[in-house]
Amino acid sequence: MTVTETERTKTFISPNVANGIEEYRPRRSWRTWLIGRPLATADAPHQTIGKAIGLAVFASDALSSVAYGPQEMMLILAAAGVLALGYAFPLSLVIVGLLIILTLSYEQTIHAYPGGGGAYIVARDNLGELPAQTAGAALLTDYILTVSVSISSGVAQIVSAFPALAPWRVSIAVGMVLLVMLVNLRGVKESGITFAIPTYFFLMLMYLTVGVGLFRLVTGSLGPVVDPPHLELPEVLHPISLLLLLRAFSNGTTALTGVEAISNGITAFREPRSRNAGITLVWMAVILGSLLVGITFLAGHIGAIPSEHETIISQLARTALGGRNVLYLIVLGATTLILIMAANTAFADFPRLAALHAGDGFLPRQFTYRGSRLVFSRGIVVLGLIASGLITLFNASVTLLIPLYAIGVFLSFTLSQAGMARRWWKIGHLQPGEEVKEPGSTLRFERGWQWKMAINSLGAVCTCIVMLVFAITKFRDGAWIILVLVPLLVSGFFAIHRHYCSLARSLSLEAYGTPPLVRRHRVVIPIGGVHRGSLAALDYALSLSPDVTAVHVSIDPGESDRLRAKWERWGNGVRLVILASPYRLMLEPLLAYIERLASLRQPNEAITIVVPQFVPKRWWHNLLHTQTAVLLRLALLFRRGVVVTDVPYQVE
Amino acid sequence: MTVTETERTKTFISPNVANGIEEYRPRRSWRTWLIGRPLATADAPHQTIGKAIGLAVFASDALSSVAYGPQEMMLILAAAGVLALGYAFPLSLVIVGLLIILTLSYEQTIHAYPGGGGAYIVARDNLGELPAQTAGAALLTDYILTVSVSISSGVAQIVSAFPALAPWRVSIAVGMVLLVMLVNLRGVKESGITFAIPTYFFLMLMYLTVGVGLFRLVTGSLGPVVDPPHLELPEVLHPISLLLLLRAFSNGTTALTGVEAISNGITAFREPRSRNAGITLVWMAVILGSLLVGITFLAGHIGAIPSEHETIISQLARTALGGRNVLYLIVLGATTLILIMAANTAFADFPRLAALHAGDGFLPRQFTYRGSRLVFSRGIVVLGLIASGLITLFNASVTLLIPLYAIGVFLSFTLSQAGMARRWWKIGHLQPGEEVKEPGSTLRFERGWQWKMAINSLGAVCTCIVMLVFAITKFRDGAWIILVLVPLLVSGFFAIHRHYCSLARSLSLEAYGTPPLVRRHRVVIPIGGVHRGSLAALDYALSLSPDVTAVHVSIDPGESDRLRAKWERWGNGVRLVILASPYRLMLEPLLAYIERLASLRQPNEAITIVVPQFVPKRWWHNLLHTQTAVLLRLALLFRRGVVVTDVPYQVE
């Protein structure tokens, strides 16, 4: 015993005499093995990164979308027959145009918010609480879908290379999500280089594939795809209509998801932050645009067929690189890896955004809690579970998940750009030299604000149009889910906020007079029998107050008489009330009695129910006893002035 | 408010001045609608029944087994080809021989135990605790299987008449079980006549079918079954071996399940009880034997084929009665009804036996509790759930369930008859005129005890042989489950018994000295912040003892400084201890601190942890708060001398 006590005491370092505060250090447990040793709050890293690493850290989400964007675009076109696939290339050019507008818009955000310009912050500062919460809700759902879509697409690449694995799609995907979750629970301190390797590896191989493909095209040695997957045509071919093109375009815009990542993470960059982040954004846009156009062009040229069985990347790689060889496998491996990195990005963003919401009181405060590894562990776990659930529900199919995906992103794009436009408007109306401080940035008059406002307004209008097109053309395919979910989430956020606000008001000590102090104490002790347990509780009850009443619910009158006799001997003179229960109810008569006492309670009187509770040696023994204390506590929780105490009696 | 209080107070009738006891009457609720108005303990019925009604009440289990006994016997024989089915009739004669021995044995039990001679009581009185618990475990599993097998067979009759219902076998069966469960939860006060009608209806129709069949056989107009179900033969026909015959015989003995029912229920009979019960047993044996032989004989003659798709009863009825006409449907309906009545019998027996075990302390005491309708509701619900589970697991197939069935019955037969034999031995060694009282019966010298002992011994030996044959020949088909389960159950019963005994010992007031009384009270109040809730708890804490310590776990040093300042103003001079938690753990530092206090506790000192707890208006608000009180209580349950109290603070 003494040893254990010493052990226990050891967990406290000797009190620091200076401030009289003791420090607690946790002991090792199974979690240490799983997620690593606990980190103290003071261990939080403050490292910053350069442009090359920054690109690797923040661009994986955007860049990886070339693995599914063109494919999903072609899948829609295919409904109008093979010839319609030719529209993919011009559509990809339109998407690149949109990318240029977005990049220009976000360049301005990056310079305006050097402290991090996520849609939530920009909308909150410039548009107000409702747009901010809407942007937040849209982004949170979007991060969940980033994980589901990226991992599902990663599994699609694996299955393209090893078709025998097809039946285990869902299991592989869920396993990957849980793995990424675990890695994130450990915390990704070693981020920089671990991000750089797979990202640059992927870029190298992707450019190699596209480059070889173009070279062979020019030299005339690039043939069509050998043995392409079967094109699943509808019974009646759709005509090539505007609606069809818009639907294909919508799918293609999913390639732009993740463009906002750099503006969220500006603080991670080395000084001059905004400049470095801005340059990185341009790099990223150039790479993304070129790969998008290149892949779509080549895929069209070789006659690649969009299919659930083999990805476009796989068809392109084996056609350009000469069959299912080692290089082909490496390309698919790198693609899978970058898709996993994209999911990993969401695992960094979602918990951070959830913590931001929670800190503002719009999500449960628990999301602000940093786990033993200094990461927002609850957000990570919630994301992992929801994303796994979605993957299971949608059978790890990218095509089924896509209609849910891009609305959230484009909604947050719109709100963020509209916020920026509003900000320029405010800046334009400042006096030169005047400064206005806002939580996220400082407003200062700038020349040419009209141009800047125009750029952000263009961004807002374009992304808004894309969002509407997406919502309308994809409504029946699943977009309705998001259109229902986001308002629900937003109203949930506000309900949570109202709760925290009203709680803060009702707990506030402002205007706190002197409430009636507890001057009398009435104690009720329910007893089932007279034994050591109930006598221990009686002893405790008598130490609280001299006004103790024992209450017994009687089902069997004969047994009550015996109990009364026993009580006369052992009951220490305490008053015994017997409640007859001819209908054999145990809890209800007790509750009715307590309710009656409570209704007679005076303001300065406390009523304490002292419940004797056995604590058996083994957990399953609890099944052999009625848990009166638990039930009483639940039933009396809402009764003002009534406190339930259970006095544990440890059975030897 | 006042109205509600009056309402509440109304639930108590004015106290009976004579004994100072108040009575509680429950209010109406949704349960009233589902299972009827509550019944007071004094409402328990004490009606008794005559022989004709007694037969109906207790014989449905035994008589209904003619619906599956012959069929399952033939199913085994069919593995050796159509010709082997001819062995069914001689086997049925052997089974009738066994029935005669059983009847003679149980006649003696009925006269020896006029207060009810179930296997559990007979074994307990004469063989000891272990055989009694074994018999009980065997019977409990057997009652569960009675429900599963009878209902499955009932559904098989329905499906024979309406083959289109075949895909919904399991759902129909589970629905029936739940219906019978609900009827039993209401309580079957109106038992007599509701039992008599279906039982005698069934007997009438069964004798009609067999009678018409025999008449047409004699007159030569009984042809073979038209369009019989397809005989599913194994790839290689089994030879007709002794093992095959024994396996078929084993299946046939399931027809004898339920023979013990009358000896369990003697107390329900009108006086002279034993005589009336004894005569009823003979009637039942005659009916069961004649139907068994008759059905098996006719089934063999018309070339009925045992099958999962159409029952033997169905083939016999439509052949004897001239096709699938109204009479045929009525026969199948009556058969289904009697099978449901058989399940109903188990719903009466299982809860009663479970209550008997629980009363002796071998099952959770909750089983002795009579619900609002005076029935042992918990036993009824447990039986319903397990039987439904078994039906789902075994796909409502009688053939799959049968190997689990009869072992339990024959084990309890054996133990009960062995107990009786032991009893005659004891009687034989009494002096004439000497009397020995046992819990279940009185021993008095009787002449001819040797003969009586011989009969019960024969019964014990025969049923033991049947049990062994069954266990060996059916081992791989499922009997092993019971051979594993019964010992597990028995050891579980004893573990429960040990717990109750040791609890009773450790709670006993014998040799109870005067334990150290609580003379000092140390109160610890964990606080997360200084607000109205924590001040209300502080006020409560100060009403318990002047020795109060507030404890705050600090994750953020800056915030702790603010808290300390606030405490100086509002804390009523109470000592504040701050525990620094650089690893951001909340609960663990608090626990370590309390553990340390507890290790320094003096024998006459109580430590009370007063935890302020918000009670939000809506349940989901609880998700927005860490439930410190709940976690603390769980963690401190095993700490001697530490009591956790949560002071609820109702947020307006």
Side-chain angles (χ1 to χ4, degrees), chain A residues 365-388:
Chain A
R365 293 245 196 254
Q366 288 95 319
F367 281 112
T368 60
Y369 173 81
R370 281 174 188 266
S372 66
R373 297 287 290 180
L374 275 169
V375 294
F376 297 111
S377 16
R378 282 147 207 214
I380 292 174
V381 171
V382 166
L383 173 60
L385 294 183
I386 303 182
S388 303

Short mmCIF file of all heavy atoms in Angstrom, two decimals, chain A residues 365-388:
data_model
loop_
_atom_site.label_atom_id
_atom_site.label_comp_id
_atom_site.label_asym_id
_atom_site.label_seq_id
_atom_site.Cartn_x
_atom_site.Cartn_y
_atom_site.Cartn_z
N ARG A 365 -17.03 23.00 -26.71
CA ARG A 365 -15.72 23.47 -26.27
C ARG A 365 -14.65 22.38 -26.29
O ARG A 365 -13.47 22.68 -26.34
CB ARG A 365 -15.82 23.97 -24.83
CG ARG A 365 -16.64 25.21 -24.68
CD ARG A 365 -15.78 26.37 -24.20
NE ARG A 365 -16.65 27.44 -23.71
CZ ARG A 365 -16.88 28.56 -24.37
NH1 ARG A 365 -16.30 28.79 -25.54
NH2 ARG A 365 -17.69 29.47 -23.88
N GLN A 366 -15.12 21.11 -26.20
CA GLN A 366 -14.15 20.01 -26.15
C GLN A 366 -13.22 20.02 -27.37
O GLN A 366 -12.12 19.50 -27.31
CB GLN A 366 -14.88 18.66 -26.10
CG GLN A 366 -15.56 18.37 -24.77
CD GLN A 366 -17.02 18.77 -24.77
OE1 GLN A 366 -17.39 19.82 -25.29
NE2 GLN A 366 -17.86 17.95 -24.18
N PHE A 367 -13.69 20.63 -28.49
CA PHE A 367 -12.85 20.66 -29.69
C PHE A 367 -11.61 21.54 -29.50
O PHE A 367 -10.67 21.45 -30.28
CB PHE A 367 -13.64 21.14 -30.90
CG PHE A 367 -14.51 20.09 -31.51
CD1 PHE A 367 -15.88 20.17 -31.45
CD2 PHE A 367 -13.94 19.00 -32.15
CE1 PHE A 367 -16.68 19.19 -32.01
CE2 PHE A 367 -14.73 18.02 -32.71
CZ PHE A 367 -16.10 18.12 -32.64
N THR A 368 -11.63 22.42 -28.50
CA THR A 368 -10.46 23.28 -28.30
C THR A 368 -9.39 22.58 -27.48
O THR A 368 -8.30 23.11 -27.31
CB THR A 368 -10.83 24.56 -27.52
OG1 THR A 368 -11.34 24.18 -26.25
CG2 THR A 368 -11.89 25.36 -28.26
N TYR A 369 -9.72 21.40 -26.95
CA TYR A 369 -8.80 20.71 -26.06
C TYR A 369 -7.69 20.04 -26.86
O TYR A 369 -7.96 19.30 -27.80
CB TYR A 369 -9.59 19.69 -25.25
CG TYR A 369 -8.77 18.79 -24.40
CD1 TYR A 369 -8.30 19.21 -23.16
CD2 TYR A 369 -8.45 17.51 -24.83
CE1 TYR A 369 -7.53 18.37 -22.37
CE2 TYR A 369 -7.68 16.67 -24.06
CZ TYR A 369 -7.23 17.11 -22.83
OH TYR A 369 -6.46 16.29 -22.06
N ARG A 370 -6.44 20.36 -26.50
CA ARG A 370 -5.33 19.69 -27.18
C ARG A 370 -4.98 18.41 -26.44
O ARG A 370 -4.81 18.42 -25.23
CB ARG A 370 -4.10 20.61 -27.20
CG ARG A 370 -4.18 21.68 -28.26
CD ARG A 370 -3.02 22.63 -28.13
NE ARG A 370 -3.17 23.77 -29.02
CZ ARG A 370 -2.64 23.84 -30.24
NH1 ARG A 370 -1.92 22.84 -30.70
NH2 ARG A 370 -2.84 24.90 -30.98
N GLY A 371 -4.89 17.31 -27.18
CA GLY A 371 -4.60 16.01 -26.58
C GLY A 371 -3.17 15.92 -26.08
O GLY A 371 -2.42 16.91 -26.10
N SER A 372 -2.79 14.72 -25.65
CA SER A 372 -1.48 14.57 -25.03
C SER A 372 -0.36 14.88 -26.02
O SER A 372 0.75 15.18 -25.62
CB SER A 372 -1.32 13.16 -24.47
OG SER A 372 -1.30 12.22 -25.52
N ARG A 373 -0.65 14.81 -27.32
CA ARG A 373 0.39 15.11 -28.31
C ARG A 373 0.23 16.52 -28.88
O ARG A 373 0.71 16.81 -29.98
CB ARG A 373 0.36 14.09 -29.44
CG ARG A 373 0.65 12.67 -29.00
CD ARG A 373 2.09 12.45 -28.67
NE ARG A 373 2.93 12.49 -29.85
CZ ARG A 373 4.24 12.34 -29.84
NH1 ARG A 373 4.87 12.15 -28.69
NH2 ARG A 373 4.94 12.40 -30.95
N LEU A 374 -0.52 17.37 -28.17
CA LEU A 374 -0.68 18.76 -28.54
C LEU A 374 -1.51 18.99 -29.80
O LEU A 374 -1.55 20.09 -30.33
CB LEU A 374 0.69 19.44 -28.72
CG LEU A 374 1.29 19.97 -27.41
CD1 LEU A 374 2.74 20.39 -27.64
CD2 LEU A 374 0.50 21.16 -26.91
N VAL A 375 -2.13 17.94 -30.30
CA VAL A 375 -3.01 18.13 -31.46
C VAL A 375 -4.46 18.16 -30.97
O VAL A 375 -4.75 17.71 -29.86
CB VAL A 375 -2.84 16.99 -32.50
CG1 VAL A 375 -1.46 17.05 -33.10
CG2 VAL A 375 -3.10 15.64 -31.86
N PHE A 376 -5.36 18.69 -31.80
CA PHE A 376 -6.77 18.73 -31.40
C PHE A 376 -7.36 17.35 -31.61
O PHE A 376 -8.04 17.09 -32.61
CB PHE A 376 -7.53 19.77 -32.22
CG PHE A 376 -7.05 21.18 -32.01
CD1 PHE A 376 -6.38 21.86 -33.00
CD2 PHE A 376 -7.25 21.82 -30.79
CE1 PHE A 376 -5.93 23.15 -32.81
CE2 PHE A 376 -6.81 23.11 -30.58
CZ PHE A 376 -6.14 23.78 -31.58
N SER A 377 -7.12 16.46 -30.66
CA SER A 377 -7.39 15.03 -30.90
C SER A 377 -8.86 14.76 -31.17
O SER A 377 -9.20 13.90 -31.97
CB SER A 377 -6.91 14.19 -29.73
OG SER A 377 -6.66 14.95 -28.60
N ARG A 378 -9.77 15.50 -30.51
CA ARG A 378 -11.18 15.17 -30.69
C ARG A 378 -11.64 15.46 -32.12
O ARG A 378 -12.39 14.69 -32.71
CB ARG A 378 -12.01 15.94 -29.67
CG ARG A 378 -11.92 15.25 -28.32
CD ARG A 378 -11.98 16.20 -27.18
NE ARG A 378 -11.28 15.62 -26.04
CZ ARG A 378 -11.63 15.80 -24.77
NH1 ARG A 378 -12.66 16.56 -24.48
NH2 ARG A 378 -10.94 15.24 -23.81
N GLY A 379 -11.17 16.60 -32.66
CA GLY A 379 -11.49 16.91 -34.05
C GLY A 379 -10.97 15.84 -34.99
O GLY A 379 -11.65 15.45 -35.94
N ILE A 380 -9.76 15.36 -34.72
CA ILE A 380 -9.17 14.34 -35.58
C ILE A 380 -10.01 13.07 -35.56
O ILE A 380 -10.32 12.49 -36.61
CB ILE A 380 -7.72 14.04 -35.12
CG1 ILE A 380 -6.84 15.27 -35.39
CG2 ILE A 380 -7.16 12.81 -35.81
CD1 ILE A 380 -5.44 15.15 -34.84
N VAL A 381 -10.43 12.67 -34.36
CA VAL A 381 -11.21 11.43 -34.25
C VAL A 381 -12.58 11.60 -34.93
O VAL A 381 -13.03 10.74 -35.68
CB VAL A 381 -11.36 11.03 -32.77
CG1 VAL A 381 -12.34 9.89 -32.63
CG2 VAL A 381 -10.01 10.65 -32.19
N VAL A 382 -13.21 12.76 -34.68
CA VAL A 382 -14.52 12.99 -35.30
C VAL A 382 -14.41 12.95 -36.82
O VAL A 382 -15.20 12.28 -37.50
CB VAL A 382 -15.09 14.35 -34.83
CG1 VAL A 382 -16.26 14.78 -35.69
CG2 VAL A 382 -15.54 14.25 -33.37
N LEU A 383 -13.40 13.61 -37.36
CA LEU A 383 -13.21 13.60 -38.81
C LEU A 383 -13.01 12.19 -39.32
O LEU A 383 -13.64 11.77 -40.31
CB LEU A 383 -12.01 14.48 -39.18
CG LEU A 383 -11.59 14.44 -40.65
CD1 LEU A 383 -12.71 14.92 -41.56
CD2 LEU A 383 -10.34 15.28 -40.88
N GLY A 384 -12.14 11.44 -38.65
CA GLY A 384 -11.86 10.07 -39.09
C GLY A 384 -13.12 9.22 -39.11
O GLY A 384 -13.36 8.48 -40.07
N LEU A 385 -13.93 9.35 -38.07
CA LEU A 385 -15.12 8.51 -37.99
C LEU A 385 -16.14 8.90 -39.06
O LEU A 385 -16.69 8.03 -39.73
CB LEU A 385 -15.74 8.63 -36.60
CG LEU A 385 -14.87 8.05 -35.47
CD1 LEU A 385 -15.60 8.12 -34.13
CD2 LEU A 385 -14.48 6.61 -35.78
N ILE A 386 -16.38 10.20 -39.23
CA ILE A 386 -17.39 10.60 -40.22
C ILE A 386 -16.93 10.22 -41.62
O ILE A 386 -17.70 9.69 -42.42
CB ILE A 386 -17.70 12.10 -40.13
CG1 ILE A 386 -18.17 12.47 -38.72
CG2 ILE A 386 -18.78 12.49 -41.14
CD1 ILE A 386 -18.55 13.92 -38.57
N ALA A 387 -15.64 10.50 -41.92
CA ALA A 387 -15.15 10.18 -43.27
C ALA A 387 -15.23 8.67 -43.53
O ALA A 387 -15.65 8.25 -44.62
CB ALA A 387 -13.71 10.67 -43.43
N SER A 388 -14.89 7.86 -42.54
CA SER A 388 -15.00 6.40 -42.71
C SER A 388 -16.45 6.02 -42.95
O SER A 388 -16.75 5.17 -43.80
CB SER A 388 -14.50 5.67 -41.47
OG SER A 388 -13.19 6.02 -41.17
#
